[in-house]
Amino acid sequence: FFKQLKNSNSNQGKTFYLWEGKQKYQYFKHIDAIKAYVSVSIYEHELMGIVNATRNALIFAIILAIGIFILINSLISRSIAIGLKKGVDFAEKIADGDLTATIEIDQKDEVGQLGDALNRMIEKLKSIVTDITNEADNIAQASQQISSNSQQMSQGATEQASSAEEVSSSMEEMTSNIQQNANNAMET
């Protein structure tokens, strides 16, 4: 061991040797502060046991991490897909003319914000449609009132025309009577 250490011509490294018939690894480093080498040795089968245990733990950790990743990814994807499906169903109801539809998404993420915005949009749309319907009713009532007033004015004009005709007829009759009286007066 010491011969290998001296022959290494390095301040640090590793060597292999047989000890009691078993392969042994030795790691060494020169420490200037104490002006000496510090070395650690371990049997190969012990080192390989540690390496194998570490490898197995690492493989288990990687498999576990992949499983957790897949689970979390599935949950997030499902959450988004459910929210979007509700949004599509809601949009189809609105497209079919159902303004009573609402969307129930109990999430605090962007999908939940979209659901809240769609609910506010439909409330505003309902308000606009109600206002338009009310104004259309008001216009229809005003139109009926104007039509009724037009009919009354037409009837009044017809009555005035009839009265004017009667007055004209009476005037002609009076003129004829006056003419006849004047003719009779001249003859007498």
Side-chain angles (χ1 to χ4, degrees):
F1 159 73
F2 290 107
K3 286 181 186 177
Q4 289 177 346
L5 190 63
K6 282 186 174 183
N7 292 336
S8 73
N9 294 328
S10 175
N11 285 339
Q12 66 181 25
K14 68 179 179 178
T15 62
F16 308 98
Y17 62 94
L18 283 176
W19 185 266
E20 298 176 353
K22 296 178 188 174
Q23 182 75 23
K24 206 165 187 182
Y25 291 92
Q26 181 170 2
Y27 296 90
F28 63 90
K29 182 174 183 178
H30 185 268
I31 308 292
D32 290 332
I34 60 172
K35 296 181 182 172
Y37 283 95
V38 174
S39 88
V40 175
S41 63
I42 187 168
Y43 286 107
E44 181 179 37
H45 71 280
E46 289 177 358
L47 178 62
M48 295 314 290
I50 293 170
V51 168
N52 289 336
T54 304
R55 182 198 63 216
N56 292 342
L58 205 64
I59 289 171
F60 177 76
I62 290 170
I63 291 172
L64 182 64
I66 289 171
I68 290 172
F69 173 77
I70 290 171
L71 177 68
I72 291 172
N73 193 16
S74 297
L75 291 175
I76 291 172
S77 297
R78 184 170 181 244
S79 171
I80 291 171
I82 288 171
L84 290 178
K85 172 83 171 97
K86 287 180 179 180
V88 168
D89 292 344
F90 173 76
E92 287 176 350
K93 287 179 184 176
I94 299 303
D96 291 340
D98 182 6
L99 297 181
T100 61
T102 58
I103 185 169
E104 299 297 327
I105 299 177
D106 188 27
Q107 292 177 222
K108 302 298 180 204
D109 58 2
E110 290 80 6
V111 175
Q113 291 172 351
L114 176 63
D116 292 342
L118 288 173
N119 281 331
R120 287 193 313 274
M121 179 191 72
I122 194 63
E123 288 302 319
K124 186 66 174 173
L125 188 58
K126 278 190 231 178
S127 173
I128 290 169
V129 169
T130 301
D131 290 347
I132 290 171
T133 302
N134 290 341
E135 292 303 318
D137 288 345
N138 290 342
I139 290 171
Q141 288 176 354
S143 177
Q144 286 177 347
Q145 193 171 15
I146 289 171
S147 175
S148 174
N149 288 343
S150 293
Q151 285 177 352
Q152 287 176 353
M153 287 176 65
S154 175
Q155 186 178 359
T158 303
E159 287 175 7
Q160 282 184 346
S162 176
S163 294
E165 249 182 69
E166 283 180 26
V167 168
S168 176
S169 176
S170 294
M171 291 296 283
E172 284 180 18
E173 194 177 311
M174 283 173 56
T175 302
S176 174
N177 284 341
I178 291 173
Q179 185 66 36
Q180 193 173 13
N181 286 339
N183 285 341
N184 286 342
M186 283 201 187
E187 285 181 15
T188 348

